Amino acid sequence: MDADRRQRLEATTRWEPAEVEGRIFEAWIEGGAFHPAAEGTSEQNFSIAIPPPNVTGVLHMGHALNGTVQDALTRMNRMRGRNALWILGTDHAGIGTQTVVEKELRAEGGSRHELGRDAFVRRVWEWRESYGPRIVEQYKRLGASMDYERERFTLDDAYVRAVYRVFVALHEKGYIYRDNYMVNWDPGSRSAISDLEVVNEEVTDALYAIDYPIEGGAEALTVATVRPETMLADTAVAVHPDDERHRGLVGGHCVLPLVGRRLPIIADRHVDPEFGTGALKITPGHDPNDFEIGRAHGLEEIVVIGEDGRMNAAAGEGFEGLSTAEARAAVVEALRADGALRGEEPHVHSVPFSERSGERIEPLISLQWFCRMDELAGPAIEAVESDRVRIVPESYKRVYLDWMRNIRPWCISRQLWWGHRLPVFYGPDGEQVVAESTELAREAARERGIDPGALRQETDVLDTWFSSALWPFATLGWPDDDRLLRAFYPTSFLTTAREIIFLWVARMVMMGIEFAGDIPFRDVYVHPVIQAADGRRMSKSLGTGIDPLDEIDVHGADALRFGLLAMSSTQDVRYSADRVRQGRDLANKMWNASRLILLNTQAAQEQAPAPVGPGLAAEQAPARVAPGLASRPDRVEDRWIVSRLQRTIGSVTESIEEYDFAHATLGFYSFFWSELCDWYLEIVKPRLYEGDRDAASTLLHVLGEVLALAHPFMPFVTEEIWGYLAGEDRDALAVSAFPTPDPARIDPEAEARVGAEIELVRRVRRWRDLVGIAPGGVLAARAAGDAPSELVARLARLDLDAPAGEPLATFGALEILPSEEIDAERAAARIAERRAALEAEVERAERKLADRGFVAKAPTEVVEAERHKLGRYRDELGELGR
């Protein structure tokens, strides 16, 4: 380390991320660390395709967790010598982006219809150019090591070509077709929307009981409904075939009140006999379940609600033009006047609303484009059943398979202007031409004798999820035989949220197998949802949102990354500000411990070799700059820390590979903070200050290894420290070797010996604290057997040459004797008080664990924590009793 660098290190007494992170990130970019060559095979390489954030998006905690997981894996594999590509890109987010721009237009007093389609699309492109890069820049703040030179967009020219190639191929196979079918209709956006864009909310409505007169008799069949306005479109009444109350009516007819339509009474097992009277009005035009029942029984499909959310002409005189709410009131009043309203009562039920417009979803039968999924689903089911695609946690494998085995046609058309306009063209007499481009459509039209000049393109665009389904291979150059595709497909890993397993993950598996010829990824990790600290969802509108960029501003990116990984699990987790602060404190501890080591090992640094990282061949691995240990250390404490390091490298690596990021980060934290800093550094400080070469070499070796081990989840602080350790002329830590455990350096004997000494020091220190000994006070002590080591005497502050006396406390062979430092009477009182408190805690914990109800019903981790506390209380009580 030269004089200038040493001076800077001496002057910087705290880790200041805001002053360092931007500079480090720019150095990574300039060095090309994130831009791998397109060479090798996907088995040799490592790749991840980022779940593309919407161009409308800003970084939220879900992005931050997802991004940190991907970055940790990418960095670790890059350091292992693999060609590592993290594919960057954004999604055009059809309905979301169009909604944002339309809102801007309304604020200006205009609308998209006034602009016209072409001008509106240009306006959206302008908006995208201004705001689209925002989230990419925010990912950089997180430290994301994506390939920024290969950024993709789902509407860039090459991607559009891939989308149209897939559409045409599926159409030629007969999978894509046009039909009238039930869809989620959003009156606010005037478009069909996907299930993901539907939010279900609990609503209290009135449940109305309505009498439908039975044909040929004086009796009536009473049905229950929360939507009486839709009864105008009823085409049947259904009962359960095993319902004794109504079995005799099946095959007969009843009369629809207000309308007079003759309705068949049918039997169907979809009917819940426990709901209402057990008789269900069937409205195929306005209810998804009724639609399925209607298709099964060949019922007429009447639609009385239009795409604008108002009643249409089919609703009849007196109702046409009314909103659904107005029509409901009018129908109820008319039923009451006719004496057909039997009663009403409050009813709480789940109602779907559009996430975008906020309008209540209208299930409508609409002429849409669909994709039949049965043929595509088979290979995708096999891929997951056989674990060629492995889903973690495994519980989501069952969720995936259950949905795939009951897959339904996919509505792929949307009534929007922003997106991939369907490559379908219509001739003057309604002829259909499907082609990848306008030019190809015109050629096909000529061949079929259709006037190419009269062709008009379909106005609908594709569902955003259609283009997203191609993401893993289209971003790598498909349909061309691209070198990038050959090098990195299939990708290695995908991390995703559970709510899009069907909408995105399953569809990528289907499309990848069908078009790229192989699965799109090998592992799928379903990450937890980060909730607000009180358990509610994070939301700006609820006041529960926490901006990850604010956390980065306050604590640094490493702190946020550590905190998110440490709080992650297989279940949803509440956001923990304490975990982020723990990450901040760890980064500062790493900085200060490294300063202590680096500023006191100058001579050893100058002579340190630079071997290749353990377990890697020189021609394949990044270089290890940290000094190696040429031989087995002589001192037991040196062998102990090196042995503990090997075990930590092994356990942290295993946890990362199993996607158990909480144990990986917290395991590292425990080693660095406790074993390395609290114990080993304190043990060797005298040797270090005396210039002991072995202590310095051991510390430099351990420091280099822990920096590399922590780099995947704390890249900034580790890279900055690495610069002082390795020197400016060496490779960045980001492209240096990841450590591997060396079994030959695991020393059980050293671990047992030093571990026992540390535990003895801990016990003495707890006793000192309990009886109120001043921190600097030296206690008189003697050994009944083998004398404790110099290490124990120094760290526990003991005088082993004290005169004889009656022991006040005994720790194995070690006895604490009376001395001026100890007020014996006060010590006895404090011990008695602590003993009573521990006995009470032991009794409470034993009583709680004896409660079978608690053990059976409480979460496993809660029960285990209680058992751990009981063991700890008993151990401490045992110490006091000796």
Side-chain angles (χ1 to χ4, degrees), residues 812-862:
L814 179 68
E815 296 175 343
I816 305 299
L817 304 175
S819 68
E820 294 180 358
E821 297 288 340
I822 304 173
D823 182 332
E825 185 175 336
R826 187 178 67 165
R830 287 192 173 189
I831 290 171
E833 181 182 354
R834 180 58 180 165
R835 182 182 291 111
L838 286 170
E839 288 171 344
E841 286 297 326
V842 167
E843 182 182 356
R844 180 200 60 77
E846 287 176 338
R847 190 169 55 250
K848 194 170 188 179
L849 289 168
D851 181 350
R852 293 182 179 179
F854 167 74
V855 174
K857 296 178 182 178
T860 302
E861 60 269 22
V862 173

Side-chain angles (χ1 to χ4, degrees), residues 757-819:
E757 293 177 334
I758 287 172
E759 181 55 30
L760 181 56
V761 172
R762 283 194 176 113
R763 290 169 64 189
V764 174
R765 285 177 173 177
R766 282 198 298 267
W767 189 87
R768 292 173 62 104
D769 291 341
L770 176 62
V771 301
I773 305 299
V778 178
L779 297 179
R782 70 171 174 229
D786 293 336
S789 69
E790 176 275 334
L791 180 156
V792 173
R794 177 164 55 85
L795 295 181
R797 302 191 67 79
L798 303 175
D799 176 8
L800 296 174
D801 297 323
E806 189 67 24
L808 298 175
T810 302
F811 303 96
L814 179 68
E815 296 175 343
I816 305 299
L817 304 175
S819 68

Side-chain angles (χ1 to χ4, degrees), residues 180-184 212 227 230-238 256 261-264 266 268 280-305 362-366 408:
N180 285 296
Y181 208 81
M182 180 67 66
V183 297
N184 298 316
Y212 284 44
R227 299 205 66 191
T230 66
M231 68 176 286
L232 304 173
D234 287 359
T235 55
V237 172
L256 179 62
R261 186 182 304 126
R262 189 168 178 257
L263 305 179
I266 62 175
D268 195 285
L280 179 69
K281 72 184 205 63
I282 303 300
T283 319
H286 294 289
D287 183 274
N289 293 324
D290 292 2
F291 176 80
E292 296 295 338
I293 293 172
R295 288 269 165 121
H297 291 270
L299 299 177
E300 185 181 2
E301 297 168 351
I302 299 174
V303 176
V304 296
I305 301 173
E362 284 295 345
L364 291 183
I365 294 176
S366 176
R408 299 172 63 173

Side-chain angles (χ1 to χ4, degrees), residues 581-594:
R581 286 191 286 270
Q582 185 181 18
R584 174 202 62 195
D585 293 344
L586 175 60
N588 200 53
K589 186 84 165 180
M590 292 178 73
W591 177 256
N592 283 325
S594 300

Side-chain angles (χ1 to χ4, degrees), residues 653-667:
T653 302
E654 182 179 357
S655 293
I656 294 175
E657 289 174 341
E658 293 176 352
Y659 311 131
D660 184 356
F661 298 101
H663 280 98
T665 49
L666 295 175

Side-chain angles (χ1 to χ4, degrees), residues 328-575:
R328 180 176 304 180
V331 168
V332 169
E333 186 59 35
L335 289 170
R336 186 176 285 114
D338 283 0
L341 188 64
R342 174 65 65 89
E344 62 181 275
E345 62 183 45
H347 178 66
V348 178
H349 64 133
S350 182
V351 175
F353 290 84
S354 168
E355 185 181 47
R356 300 295 182 182
S357 71
E359 295 279 343
R360 184 169 178 159
I361 292 297
E362 284 295 345
L364 291 183
I365 294 176
S366 176
L367 183 60
Q368 300 283 347
W369 286 88
F370 294 87
C371 183
R372 189 174 73 246
M373 308 302 294
D374 305 273
E375 294 88 348
L376 297 169
I381 289 172
E382 185 280 328
V384 171
E385 284 180 331
S386 65
D387 285 333
R388 285 198 299 134
V389 174
R390 185 172 70 105
I391 299 178
V392 180
E394 193 169 2
S395 57
Y396 290 109
K397 174 180 178 179
R398 185 172 60 255
V399 172
Y400 170 99
L401 291 172
D402 287 347
W403 185 77
M404 290 290 282
R405 288 166 181 151
N406 296 281
I407 199 164
R408 299 172 63 173
W410 173 16
C411 177
I412 59 173
S413 51
R414 297 291 182 267
Q415 290 63 55
L416 303 171
W417 287 356
W418 173 247
H420 300 91
R421 195 168 175 178
L422 269 69
V424 178
F425 302 81
Y426 300 103
D429 297 320
E431 307 96 329
Q432 282 186 14
V433 179
V434 177
E436 294 181 28
S437 66
T438 303
E439 294 73 18
L440 291 174
R442 288 172 177 162
E443 290 179 17
R446 289 191 192 95
E447 292 174 2
R448 292 169 53 184
I450 302 170
D451 179 5
L455 290 179
R456 57 182 180 83
Q457 189 172 354
E458 169 66 68
T459 57
D460 288 356
V461 300
L462 284 164
D463 177 13
T464 297
W465 295 105
F466 187 94
S467 53
S468 298
L470 321 184
W471 187 250
F473 57 90
T475 52
L476 293 172
W478 188 92
D480 297 329
D481 183 22
D482 195 280
R483 288 176 58 198
L484 205 62
L485 186 68
R486 296 196 302 274
F488 294 105
Y489 188 89
T491 63
S492 309
F493 173 84
L494 174 78
T495 177
T496 187
R498 62 173 176 265
E499 64 265 20
I500 56 175
I501 291 174
F502 316 136
L503 293 161
W504 191 44
V505 177
R507 289 167 178 167
M508 283 192 288
V509 177
M510 288 186 276
M511 295 299 187
I513 294 172
E514 177 72 14
F515 291 99
D518 203 349
I519 55 173
F521 27 71
R522 296 183 177 89
D523 282 4
V524 177
Y525 170 65
V526 182
H527 64 72
V529 173
I530 302 293
Q531 300 170 333
D534 61 4
R536 291 184 292 169
R537 67 183 178 88
M538 281 200 175
S539 166
K540 285 186 178 179
S541 61
L542 293 175
T544 57
I546 298 174
D547 188 338
L549 296 179
D550 290 343
E551 295 288 80
I552 291 173
D553 288 340
V554 174
H555 301 299
D558 289 333
L560 178 63
R561 291 166 63 110
F562 175 93
L564 288 172
L565 293 177
M567 70 181 79
S568 68
S569 75
T570 58
Q571 300 176 343
D572 292 350
V573 292
R574 297 185 178 191
Y575 184 77

